[in-house]
Amino acid sequence: MFVAPCSTLAFFAVFLLPSLVRSDCECGYVVDDILYTDLLETDFLHDDLVSTEWQAQEYSVTPEESRGPYGKHALPGNVVPNPTKNKYDWSGDGVKGSDAGLQLIVGGGVPQDKLIPVAELVSVRDDMFYGSYRAAMKLTGTNGTCGAFFWYRNDTQEIDMEFLSSQYNETSSPVNLVLQSPESARDGFDASATGTFDLQQLPFAPDDGFHEYRFDWSPEAVTFYADGKLVETMRSSIPTAAGHITLSHWSNGNPLWSGGPPEEDAITTVEYFKGYFNSSDPKRVADWEKRCTDPTKENATCEVPAVDAAPNGNASAKTYFFTQDSGKAPNQTVDDGSSDKKSLGTSLFGTDMRCPRIQSGFST
């Protein structure tokens, strides 16, 4: 039995189509009793990044634009795949040495051109709406950088988990949780006085091993987790349109935030990204409506396995991927090669964001 989030008539109109559920997970993926229609999963431990799912960024930002004594120069060469030496391993050194996974590198030393070399990886899809997003990362212990896992629509609609290496010591292991908003933009993108910034101490050192960082976004709240444990819930300035995911590692020398530049190359490593979400792309919504006739049918929806331990070592780092299990990711194509693949991030119901058709799904 399930409870529809909108009117019964409006919701069930989705299912009055003649097609049948053809394979497992046709109707989507369930997290904490909420159904999401789409997924994006990337196993960076075994992926050489030759895919259409992500784009390494290349751009320059002046010191003035970066609001620091240094600017930033994002380089694709600073996004370095370092898969495991053996495809059956889930931990240990990669083919390039050091921790296996995707390396995000901030160049060390004082740059003569005032631009610090940084790394940024962005999802190709920018139709990523309400959902549950998580990344397993080991942050750098080198002082003077900011490691970030965030969802981004624009400068006033952004969900951030940021890690400042200058804040780490024997008694401090924090994560900075931020929802950027019009209010924070008016304060020079300082969210500290808006109620949508919080510094939470973690029960582990982010630079001492891999941990899963997660945020769940619904119309009512954004909830943050670390290794499956609740960290914080924010209920104001909630984003209302779709966007994309960014994994980044940067520095601009600002002593009030990233610090730096680091004295030596600093490396943050990503094991995986997993996102279960509703799409704002009308084509993908229409496809979901066609393939999902009854979410109560056996195996029509698939439960996302819970994570309650740090993904370190061959046992705990071997997490489940629907995309690696035959028949569990039906019609989850990321990119068809067309130039207009990206959506504009519109609401499923136009401008009414209170009850989009799939919104936060339904209770199972």
Side-chain angles (χ1 to χ4, degrees):
M1 182 177 182
F2 60 87
V3 179
C6 305
S7 71
T8 302
L9 180 61
F11 186 80
F12 275 95
V14 173
F15 304 108
L16 300 181
L17 295 169
S19 61
L20 299 176
V21 172
R22 294 181 295 277
S23 63
D24 290 350
C25 315
E26 285 281 3
C27 288
Y29 308 90
V30 177
V31 179
D32 295 336
D33 296 326
I34 297 175
L35 175 67
Y36 301 110
T37 62
D38 284 52
L39 65 73
L40 175 59
E41 296 179 330
T42 305
D43 172 13
F44 291 117
L45 284 176
H46 304 102
D47 193 338
D48 61 3
L49 210 61
V50 180
S51 71
T52 59
E53 297 175 346
W54 300 90
Q55 291 179 341
Q57 299 298 288
E58 183 169 14
Y59 62 82
S60 294
V61 177
T62 67
E64 293 75 22
E65 293 170 328
S66 73
R67 300 188 292 275
Y70 296 92
K72 299 183 292 184
H73 188 188
L75 296 168
N78 281 25
V79 179
V80 180
N82 185 31
T84 58
K85 296 176 182 178
N86 186 322
K87 66 179 181 180
Y88 300 107
D89 286 339
W90 289 83
S91 67
D93 290 346
V95 295
K96 295 180 173 67
S98 66
D99 293 310
L102 183 73
Q103 297 179 338
L104 303 175
I105 301 173
V106 175
V110 177
Q112 293 184 351
D113 61 1
K114 302 286 286 187
L115 300 179
I116 299 174
V118 302
E120 184 170 299
L121 190 70
V122 173
S123 65
V124 170
R125 292 188 64 166
D126 62 0
D127 61 325
M128 304 173 86
F129 207 6
Y130 301 127
S132 179
Y133 302 96
R134 63 281 307 270
M137 302 189 297
K138 179 179 178 180
L139 281 300
T140 186
T142 302
N143 189 46
T145 76
C146 174
F149 163 47
F150 63 98
W151 171 94
Y152 182 84
R153 166 70 178 181
N154 55 40
D155 286 346
T156 61
Q157 296 202 67
E158 184 175 342
I159 303 170
D160 283 327
M161 300 185 78
E162 300 198 19
F163 304 83
L164 308 181
S165 56
S166 62
Q167 294 179 330
Y168 304 157
N169 56 49
E170 292 182 357
T171 60
S172 177
S173 300
V175 56
N176 296 269
L177 308 174
V178 187
L179 299 186
Q180 296 290 1
S181 65
E183 292 76 18
S184 63
R186 286 195 291 269
D187 290 340
F189 298 98
D190 179 3
S192 60
T194 66
T196 58
F197 170 83
D198 195 15
L199 187 147
Q200 285 281 349
Q201 292 292 335
L202 297 169
F204 52 78
D207 60 328
D208 196 34
F210 288 92
H211 297 273
E212 184 187 90
Y213 303 98
R214 165 185 159 194
F215 56 85
D216 290 3
W217 166 34
S218 75
E220 293 79 28
V222 175
T223 306
F224 299 91
Y225 300 85
D227 290 336
K229 308 296 192 301
L230 177 65
V231 175
E232 177 64 280
T233 299
M234 295 184 181
R235 301 186 184 277
S236 60
S237 301
I238 306 302
T240 56
H244 64 257
I245 291 293
T246 297
L247 299 164
S248 72
H249 191 202
W250 60 274
S251 177
N252 66 354
N254 186 337
L256 299 179
W257 197 248
S258 73
E263 293 183 358
E264 59 185 11
D265 286 357
I267 301 175
T268 283
T269 307
V270 186
E271 278 189 341
Y272 62 75
F273 168 80
K274 301 178 183 181
Y276 309 95
F277 58 96
N278 294 327
S279 173
S280 67
D281 187 332
K283 293 180 181 179
R284 296 202 63 83
V285 174
D287 178 78
W288 177 82
E289 292 175 347
K290 290 177 182 177
R291 72 175 184 263
C292 178
T293 59
D294 183 359
T296 65
K297 286 186 178 181
E298 185 178 4
N299 298 327
T301 63
C302 294
E303 191 84 21
V304 176
V307 171
D308 56 9
N312 287 297
N314 269 325
S316 60
K318 187 178 181 180
T319 62
Y320 180 79
F321 293 83
F322 289 101
T323 48
Q324 295 177 0
D325 194 348
S326 178
K328 295 296 181 69
N331 201 30
Q332 293 293 339
T333 301
V334 172
D335 189 1
D336 60 8
S338 62
S339 60
D340 61 349
K341 175 65 181 69
K342 294 183 179 180
S343 85
L344 296 177
T346 55
S347 162
L348 299 180
F349 272 177
T351 59
D352 183 1
M353 300 305 301
R354 293 169 297 172
C355 197
R357 184 172 301 176
I358 307 168
Q359 186 181 292
S360 56
F362 49 79
S363 299
T364 54

Short mmCIF file of all heavy atoms in Angstrom, two decimals, residues 62-121:
data_model
loop_
_atom_site.label_atom_id
_atom_site.label_comp_id
_atom_site.label_asym_id
_atom_site.label_seq_id
_atom_site.Cartn_x
_atom_site.Cartn_y
_atom_site.Cartn_z
N THR A 62 39.65 34.84 -12.10
CA THR A 62 40.60 35.81 -11.57
C THR A 62 40.51 35.88 -10.05
O THR A 62 39.51 35.46 -9.46
CB THR A 62 40.33 37.21 -12.14
OG1 THR A 62 39.05 37.66 -11.64
CG2 THR A 62 40.31 37.19 -13.66
N PRO A 63 41.53 36.42 -9.39
CA PRO A 63 41.44 36.59 -7.93
C PRO A 63 40.21 37.40 -7.52
O PRO A 63 39.57 37.08 -6.51
CB PRO A 63 42.75 37.31 -7.58
CG PRO A 63 43.71 36.86 -8.64
CD PRO A 63 42.89 36.76 -9.88
N GLU A 64 39.90 38.42 -8.29
CA GLU A 64 38.73 39.25 -7.95
C GLU A 64 37.45 38.43 -8.03
O GLU A 64 36.58 38.51 -7.15
CB GLU A 64 38.66 40.45 -8.89
CG GLU A 64 39.78 41.47 -8.74
CD GLU A 64 41.10 40.97 -9.33
OE1 GLU A 64 41.06 40.06 -10.21
OE2 GLU A 64 42.16 41.49 -8.92
N GLU A 65 37.34 37.63 -9.08
CA GLU A 65 36.13 36.82 -9.25
C GLU A 65 36.04 35.70 -8.23
O GLU A 65 34.94 35.30 -7.81
CB GLU A 65 36.10 36.23 -10.66
CG GLU A 65 35.92 37.26 -11.76
CD GLU A 65 36.15 36.66 -13.14
OE1 GLU A 65 36.99 35.73 -13.27
OE2 GLU A 65 35.51 37.12 -14.09
N SER A 66 37.19 35.20 -7.80
CA SER A 66 37.19 34.09 -6.84
C SER A 66 37.08 34.56 -5.40
O SER A 66 36.97 33.74 -4.49
CB SER A 66 38.44 33.23 -7.00
OG SER A 66 39.58 33.91 -6.49
N ARG A 67 37.14 35.86 -5.20
CA ARG A 67 37.04 36.48 -3.87
C ARG A 67 38.15 35.97 -2.95
O ARG A 67 37.92 35.61 -1.79
CB ARG A 67 35.65 36.22 -3.25
CG ARG A 67 34.51 36.77 -4.08
CD ARG A 67 33.18 36.67 -3.37
NE ARG A 67 32.74 35.29 -3.23
CZ ARG A 67 32.07 34.61 -4.17
NH1 ARG A 67 31.77 35.20 -5.32
NH2 ARG A 67 31.68 33.38 -3.95
N GLY A 68 39.38 35.98 -3.50
CA GLY A 68 40.54 35.58 -2.72
C GLY A 68 41.79 36.23 -3.26
O GLY A 68 41.76 36.88 -4.31
N PRO A 69 42.92 36.07 -2.61
CA PRO A 69 44.18 36.64 -3.10
C PRO A 69 44.68 35.94 -4.36
O PRO A 69 45.55 36.47 -5.06
CB PRO A 69 45.15 36.45 -1.94
CG PRO A 69 44.56 35.36 -1.11
CD PRO A 69 43.08 35.47 -1.27
N TYR A 70 44.15 34.75 -4.64
CA TYR A 70 44.52 34.00 -5.85
C TYR A 70 43.26 33.65 -6.63
O TYR A 70 42.16 33.51 -6.06
CB TYR A 70 45.27 32.72 -5.51
CG TYR A 70 46.60 32.95 -4.83
CD1 TYR A 70 46.69 32.99 -3.44
CD2 TYR A 70 47.76 33.13 -5.58
CE1 TYR A 70 47.90 33.20 -2.82
CE2 TYR A 70 48.98 33.35 -4.96
CZ TYR A 70 49.05 33.39 -3.58
OH TYR A 70 50.25 33.60 -2.97
N GLY A 71 43.43 33.47 -7.92
CA GLY A 71 42.37 32.93 -8.75
C GLY A 71 42.49 31.43 -8.85
O GLY A 71 43.33 30.79 -8.19
N LYS A 72 41.66 30.84 -9.70
CA LYS A 72 41.64 29.39 -9.88
C LYS A 72 41.74 29.05 -11.37
O LYS A 72 41.16 29.73 -12.21
CB LYS A 72 40.35 28.79 -9.32
CG LYS A 72 40.14 29.01 -7.83
CD LYS A 72 38.89 28.32 -7.33
CE LYS A 72 37.63 28.94 -7.88
NZ LYS A 72 36.41 28.32 -7.31
N HIS A 73 42.48 28.00 -11.65
CA HIS A 73 42.58 27.49 -13.01
C HIS A 73 42.21 26.01 -12.98
O HIS A 73 43.01 25.17 -12.56
CB HIS A 73 43.98 27.69 -13.58
CG HIS A 73 44.08 27.36 -15.03
ND1 HIS A 73 45.28 27.31 -15.72
CD2 HIS A 73 43.12 27.05 -15.96
CE1 HIS A 73 45.05 27.01 -16.99
NE2 HIS A 73 43.76 26.83 -17.15
N ALA A 74 40.96 25.70 -13.37
CA ALA A 74 40.52 24.31 -13.40
C ALA A 74 41.10 23.63 -14.63
O ALA A 74 40.95 24.13 -15.76
CB ALA A 74 39.00 24.24 -13.42
N LEU A 75 41.74 22.49 -14.42
CA LEU A 75 42.42 21.78 -15.50
C LEU A 75 41.93 20.34 -15.57
O LEU A 75 41.91 19.63 -14.54
CB LEU A 75 43.94 21.76 -15.26
CG LEU A 75 44.64 23.12 -15.27
CD1 LEU A 75 46.05 22.97 -14.72
CD2 LEU A 75 44.67 23.68 -16.68
N PRO A 76 41.53 19.86 -16.76
CA PRO A 76 41.15 18.44 -16.90
C PRO A 76 42.25 17.50 -16.44
O PRO A 76 41.97 16.41 -15.92
CB PRO A 76 40.86 18.30 -18.39
CG PRO A 76 40.46 19.67 -18.83
CD PRO A 76 41.30 20.61 -18.01
N GLY A 77 43.51 17.92 -16.60
CA GLY A 77 44.63 17.08 -16.18
C GLY A 77 44.74 16.91 -14.68
O GLY A 77 45.50 16.05 -14.21
N ASN A 78 44.00 17.72 -13.91
CA ASN A 78 44.00 17.58 -12.46
C ASN A 78 42.90 16.64 -11.97
O ASN A 78 42.76 16.41 -10.77
CB ASN A 78 43.84 18.95 -11.79
CG ASN A 78 45.15 19.72 -11.78
OD1 ASN A 78 46.02 19.49 -12.62
ND2 ASN A 78 45.29 20.64 -10.85
N VAL A 79 42.11 16.12 -12.91
CA VAL A 79 41.11 15.09 -12.62
C VAL A 79 41.69 13.78 -13.16
O VAL A 79 41.72 13.54 -14.37
CB VAL A 79 39.76 15.40 -13.28
CG1 VAL A 79 38.75 14.30 -12.99
CG2 VAL A 79 39.24 16.76 -12.80
N VAL A 80 42.19 12.92 -12.26
CA VAL A 80 43.04 11.80 -12.67
C VAL A 80 42.40 10.47 -12.26
O VAL A 80 42.33 10.15 -11.06
CB VAL A 80 44.43 11.91 -12.03
CG1 VAL A 80 45.32 10.75 -12.46
CG2 VAL A 80 45.08 13.25 -12.40
N PRO A 81 41.96 9.66 -13.21
CA PRO A 81 41.50 8.31 -12.87
C PRO A 81 42.66 7.45 -12.36
O PRO A 81 43.74 7.47 -12.94
CB PRO A 81 40.97 7.76 -14.21
CG PRO A 81 40.75 8.98 -15.07
CD PRO A 81 41.79 9.96 -14.64
N ASN A 82 42.41 6.74 -11.28
CA ASN A 82 43.45 5.88 -10.70
C ASN A 82 42.78 4.59 -10.22
O ASN A 82 42.68 4.32 -9.02
CB ASN A 82 44.14 6.60 -9.54
CG ASN A 82 45.30 5.81 -8.98
OD1 ASN A 82 45.97 5.06 -9.69
ND2 ASN A 82 45.55 5.97 -7.68
N PRO A 83 42.28 3.78 -11.16
CA PRO A 83 41.54 2.58 -10.78
C PRO A 83 42.42 1.55 -10.10
O PRO A 83 43.65 1.62 -10.15
CB PRO A 83 41.00 2.05 -12.13
CG PRO A 83 41.94 2.61 -13.15
CD PRO A 83 42.37 3.94 -12.62
N THR A 84 41.78 0.58 -9.46
CA THR A 84 42.51 -0.48 -8.78
C THR A 84 43.35 -1.27 -9.78
O THR A 84 43.02 -1.37 -10.97
CB THR A 84 41.55 -1.45 -8.07
OG1 THR A 84 40.63 -2.01 -9.03
CG2 THR A 84 40.76 -0.73 -6.98
N LYS A 85 44.43 -1.87 -9.28
CA LYS A 85 45.30 -2.67 -10.14
C LYS A 85 44.59 -3.94 -10.60
O LYS A 85 44.85 -4.45 -11.69
CB LYS A 85 46.58 -3.02 -9.39
CG LYS A 85 47.43 -1.81 -9.02
CD LYS A 85 48.64 -2.22 -8.19
CE LYS A 85 49.47 -1.01 -7.80
NZ LYS A 85 50.63 -1.37 -6.94
N ASN A 86 43.71 -4.45 -9.76
CA ASN A 86 42.96 -5.66 -10.06
C ASN A 86 41.48 -5.32 -10.03
O ASN A 86 40.99 -4.75 -9.06
CB ASN A 86 43.28 -6.74 -9.02
CG ASN A 86 42.65 -8.08 -9.33
OD1 ASN A 86 41.52 -8.16 -9.79
ND2 ASN A 86 43.37 -9.16 -9.03
N LYS A 87 40.75 -5.67 -11.08
CA LYS A 87 39.34 -5.29 -11.16
C LYS A 87 38.49 -5.95 -10.08
O LYS A 87 37.35 -5.54 -9.85
CB LYS A 87 38.79 -5.62 -12.54
CG LYS A 87 38.72 -7.11 -12.85
CD LYS A 87 38.13 -7.34 -14.24
CE LYS A 87 38.04 -8.83 -14.57
NZ LYS A 87 37.47 -9.04 -15.92
N TYR A 88 39.03 -6.96 -9.41
CA TYR A 88 38.28 -7.64 -8.35
C TYR A 88 38.56 -7.03 -6.97
O TYR A 88 37.93 -7.42 -6.00
CB TYR A 88 38.62 -9.14 -8.34
CG TYR A 88 38.30 -9.82 -9.65
CD1 TYR A 88 39.31 -10.20 -10.53
CD2 TYR A 88 36.98 -10.06 -10.03
CE1 TYR A 88 39.01 -10.82 -11.74
CE2 TYR A 88 36.66 -10.67 -11.23
CZ TYR A 88 37.69 -11.05 -12.08
OH TYR A 88 37.38 -11.66 -13.27
N ASP A 89 39.50 -6.10 -6.90
CA ASP A 89 39.79 -5.43 -5.64
C ASP A 89 38.88 -4.22 -5.46
O ASP A 89 38.47 -3.58 -6.42
CB ASP A 89 41.25 -4.97 -5.59
CG ASP A 89 42.22 -6.13 -5.38
OD1 ASP A 89 41.78 -7.19 -4.89
OD2 ASP A 89 43.41 -5.97 -5.71
N TRP A 90 38.60 -3.90 -4.18
CA TRP A 90 37.78 -2.73 -3.86
C TRP A 90 38.51 -1.78 -2.91
O TRP A 90 37.90 -0.90 -2.32
CB TRP A 90 36.45 -3.18 -3.26
CG TRP A 90 35.57 -3.83 -4.28
CD1 TRP A 90 35.62 -5.12 -4.71
CD2 TRP A 90 34.53 -3.20 -5.02
NE1 TRP A 90 34.67 -5.34 -5.67
CE2 TRP A 90 33.98 -4.18 -5.89
CE3 TRP A 90 33.99 -1.91 -5.04
CZ2 TRP A 90 32.93 -3.91 -6.76
CZ3 TRP A 90 32.94 -1.64 -5.90
CH2 TRP A 90 32.42 -2.63 -6.76
N SER A 91 39.81 -1.96 -2.77
CA SER A 91 40.61 -1.05 -1.95
C SER A 91 42.07 -1.24 -2.33
O SER A 91 42.41 -2.07 -3.18
CB SER A 91 40.40 -1.34 -0.46
OG SER A 91 40.94 -2.61 -0.13
N GLY A 92 42.93 -0.45 -1.70
CA GLY A 92 44.36 -0.55 -1.96
C GLY A 92 44.84 0.49 -2.94
O GLY A 92 44.10 1.42 -3.32
N ASP A 93 46.08 0.37 -3.36
CA ASP A 93 46.68 1.33 -4.28
C ASP A 93 46.09 1.18 -5.69
O ASP A 93 45.70 0.08 -6.11
CB ASP A 93 48.19 1.13 -4.35
CG ASP A 93 48.89 1.54 -3.08
OD1 ASP A 93 48.25 2.22 -2.25
OD2 ASP A 93 50.07 1.18 -2.92
N GLY A 94 46.07 2.29 -6.41
CA GLY A 94 45.64 2.28 -7.78
C GLY A 94 46.81 2.06 -8.72
O GLY A 94 47.96 1.92 -8.30
N VAL A 95 46.50 2.05 -10.01
CA VAL A 95 47.54 1.80 -11.01
C VAL A 95 48.59 2.89 -11.02
O VAL A 95 49.72 2.68 -11.48
CB VAL A 95 46.91 1.66 -12.41
CG1 VAL A 95 46.02 0.44 -12.48
CG2 VAL A 95 46.14 2.91 -12.81
N LYS A 96 48.28 4.08 -10.52
CA LYS A 96 49.23 5.18 -10.44
C LYS A 96 49.82 5.34 -9.04
O LYS A 96 50.48 6.34 -8.76
CB LYS A 96 48.57 6.49 -10.89
CG LYS A 96 48.15 6.51 -12.36
CD LYS A 96 47.51 7.84 -12.71
CE LYS A 96 47.24 7.95 -14.20
NZ LYS A 96 46.20 7.00 -14.66
N GLY A 97 49.57 4.37 -8.18
CA GLY A 97 50.02 4.47 -6.80
C GLY A 97 49.02 5.23 -5.95
O GLY A 97 48.01 5.73 -6.45
N SER A 98 49.24 5.30 -4.66
CA SER A 98 48.35 5.93 -3.68
C SER A 98 46.95 5.33 -3.75
O SER A 98 46.72 4.33 -4.44
CB SER A 98 48.33 7.46 -3.85
OG SER A 98 47.73 7.83 -5.08
N ASP A 99 46.01 5.92 -3.06
CA ASP A 99 44.67 5.34 -2.96
C ASP A 99 44.00 5.23 -4.32
O ASP A 99 44.02 6.18 -5.12
CB ASP A 99 43.79 6.20 -2.05
CG ASP A 99 44.25 6.19 -0.60
OD1 ASP A 99 44.47 5.09 -0.06
OD2 ASP A 99 44.39 7.27 -0.02
N ALA A 100 43.39 4.08 -4.57
CA ALA A 100 42.63 3.89 -5.80
C ALA A 100 41.38 4.77 -5.78
O ALA A 100 40.79 5.02 -4.73
CB ALA A 100 42.26 2.43 -5.99
N GLY A 101 40.97 5.22 -6.94
CA GLY A 101 39.80 6.07 -7.08
C GLY A 101 40.11 7.25 -7.98
O GLY A 101 41.19 7.34 -8.57
N LEU A 102 39.18 8.14 -8.08
CA LEU A 102 39.36 9.34 -8.91
C LEU A 102 40.06 10.42 -8.10
O LEU A 102 39.56 10.84 -7.05
CB LEU A 102 38.01 9.85 -9.40
CG LEU A 102 38.10 11.06 -10.33
CD1 LEU A 102 38.61 10.65 -11.70
CD2 LEU A 102 36.75 11.75 -10.46
N GLN A 103 41.22 10.87 -8.57
CA GLN A 103 41.99 11.88 -7.86
C GLN A 103 41.60 13.28 -8.33
O GLN A 103 41.56 13.55 -9.54
CB GLN A 103 43.49 11.66 -8.09
CG GLN A 103 44.01 10.35 -7.56
CD GLN A 103 45.50 10.16 -7.82
OE1 GLN A 103 46.08 10.78 -8.71
NE2 GLN A 103 46.13 9.30 -7.04
N LEU A 104 41.31 14.14 -7.38
CA LEU A 104 41.07 15.57 -7.64
C LEU A 104 42.24 16.33 -7.02
O LEU A 104 42.40 16.34 -5.80
CB LEU A 104 39.74 16.01 -7.03
CG LEU A 104 38.49 15.24 -7.47
CD1 LEU A 104 37.27 15.71 -6.70
CD2 LEU A 104 38.27 15.38 -8.97
N ILE A 105 43.07 16.94 -7.86
CA ILE A 105 44.35 17.47 -7.42
C ILE A 105 44.36 18.99 -7.43
O ILE A 105 43.95 19.63 -8.42
CB ILE A 105 45.48 16.95 -8.33
CG1 ILE A 105 45.50 15.41 -8.30
CG2 ILE A 105 46.83 17.50 -7.89
CD1 ILE A 105 46.47 14.80 -9.30
N VAL A 106 44.83 19.58 -6.33
CA VAL A 106 45.13 21.01 -6.26
C VAL A 106 46.65 21.15 -6.29
O VAL A 106 47.35 20.56 -5.46
CB VAL A 106 44.56 21.66 -5.00
CG1 VAL A 106 44.99 23.13 -4.90
CG2 VAL A 106 43.04 21.57 -4.99
N GLY A 107 47.15 21.92 -7.25
CA GLY A 107 48.59 22.08 -7.40
C GLY A 107 49.21 22.83 -6.23
O GLY A 107 48.65 23.81 -5.73
N GLY A 108 50.38 22.37 -5.80
CA GLY A 108 51.05 22.99 -4.67
C GLY A 108 51.99 24.11 -5.08
O GLY A 108 52.39 24.24 -6.24
N GLY A 109 52.33 24.95 -4.12
CA GLY A 109 53.24 26.07 -4.36
C GLY A 109 52.50 27.34 -4.73
O GLY A 109 51.30 27.35 -4.97
N VAL A 110 53.25 28.44 -4.76
CA VAL A 110 52.68 29.74 -5.10
C VAL A 110 52.74 29.93 -6.62
O VAL A 110 53.82 29.95 -7.20
CB VAL A 110 53.46 30.88 -4.40
CG1 VAL A 110 52.90 32.23 -4.82
CG2 VAL A 110 53.38 30.71 -2.88
N PRO A 111 51.59 30.04 -7.28
CA PRO A 111 51.59 30.16 -8.75
C PRO A 111 52.04 31.55 -9.21
O PRO A 111 51.58 32.56 -8.68
CB PRO A 111 50.12 29.90 -9.12
CG PRO A 111 49.36 30.33 -7.91
CD PRO A 111 50.23 30.03 -6.73
N GLN A 112 52.92 31.58 -10.17
CA GLN A 112 53.41 32.86 -10.67
C GLN A 112 52.31 33.68 -11.36
O GLN A 112 52.35 34.91 -11.33
CB GLN A 112 54.58 32.63 -11.64
CG GLN A 112 55.82 32.06 -10.96
CD GLN A 112 57.00 31.94 -11.92
OE1 GLN A 112 56.85 32.11 -13.13
NE2 GLN A 112 58.18 31.66 -11.38
N ASP A 113 51.36 32.98 -11.96
CA ASP A 113 50.28 33.71 -12.65
C ASP A 113 49.10 34.02 -11.74
O ASP A 113 48.06 34.48 -12.20
CB ASP A 113 49.81 32.92 -13.87
CG ASP A 113 49.24 31.55 -13.50
OD1 ASP A 113 49.21 31.21 -12.29
OD2 ASP A 113 48.84 30.81 -14.43
N LYS A 114 49.25 33.74 -10.43
CA LYS A 114 48.20 34.01 -9.43
C LYS A 114 46.98 33.12 -9.59
O LYS A 114 45.93 33.37 -8.99
CB LYS A 114 47.76 35.48 -9.48
CG LYS A 114 48.89 36.49 -9.26
CD LYS A 114 49.31 36.53 -7.79
CE LYS A 114 48.28 37.24 -6.95
NZ LYS A 114 48.76 37.43 -5.55
N LEU A 115 47.08 32.05 -10.40
CA LEU A 115 45.97 31.13 -10.60
C LEU A 115 46.37 29.75 -10.07
O LEU A 115 47.30 29.12 -10.59
CB LEU A 115 45.60 31.02 -12.08
CG LEU A 115 45.17 32.31 -12.79
CD1 LEU A 115 44.87 32.02 -14.26
CD2 LEU A 115 43.96 32.92 -12.10
N ILE A 116 45.69 29.28 -9.04
CA ILE A 116 45.99 27.99 -8.44
C ILE A 116 45.37 26.88 -9.29
O ILE A 116 44.16 26.91 -9.57
CB ILE A 116 45.46 27.92 -7.00
CG1 ILE A 116 46.13 29.01 -6.14
CG2 ILE A 116 45.71 26.54 -6.40
CD1 ILE A 116 45.55 29.12 -4.73
N PRO A 117 46.14 25.89 -9.70
CA PRO A 117 45.57 24.76 -10.46
C PRO A 117 44.63 23.93 -9.58
O PRO A 117 45.02 23.50 -8.48
CB PRO A 117 46.80 23.94 -10.87
CG PRO A 117 47.97 24.87 -10.70
CD PRO A 117 47.61 25.77 -9.57
N VAL A 118 43.40 23.73 -10.04
CA VAL A 118 42.38 23.03 -9.25
C VAL A 118 41.72 21.97 -10.12
O VAL A 118 41.99 21.84 -11.32
CB VAL A 118 41.34 24.01 -8.69
CG1 VAL A 118 42.01 25.08 -7.84
CG2 VAL A 118 40.52 24.65 -9.81
N ALA A 119 40.81 21.21 -9.50
CA ALA A 119 40.12 20.11 -10.19
C ALA A 119 38.61 20.23 -9.97
O ALA A 119 38.16 20.50 -8.85
CB ALA A 119 40.61 18.76 -9.68
N GLU A 120 37.86 20.00 -11.04
CA GLU A 120 36.40 20.03 -10.94
C GLU A 120 35.79 19.07 -11.95
O GLU A 120 36.14 19.08 -13.13
CB GLU A 120 35.87 21.44 -11.17
CG GLU A 120 34.37 21.57 -10.98
CD GLU A 120 33.92 23.02 -10.99
OE1 GLU A 120 34.38 23.79 -10.10
OE2 GLU A 120 33.12 23.39 -11.87
N LEU A 121 34.87 18.24 -11.48
CA LEU A 121 34.17 17.28 -12.32
C LEU A 121 32.67 17.52 -12.17
O LEU A 121 32.17 17.60 -11.05
CB LEU A 121 34.52 15.85 -11.88
CG LEU A 121 34.06 14.73 -12.81
CD1 LEU A 121 34.86 14.73 -14.11
CD2 LEU A 121 34.19 13.37 -12.10
#
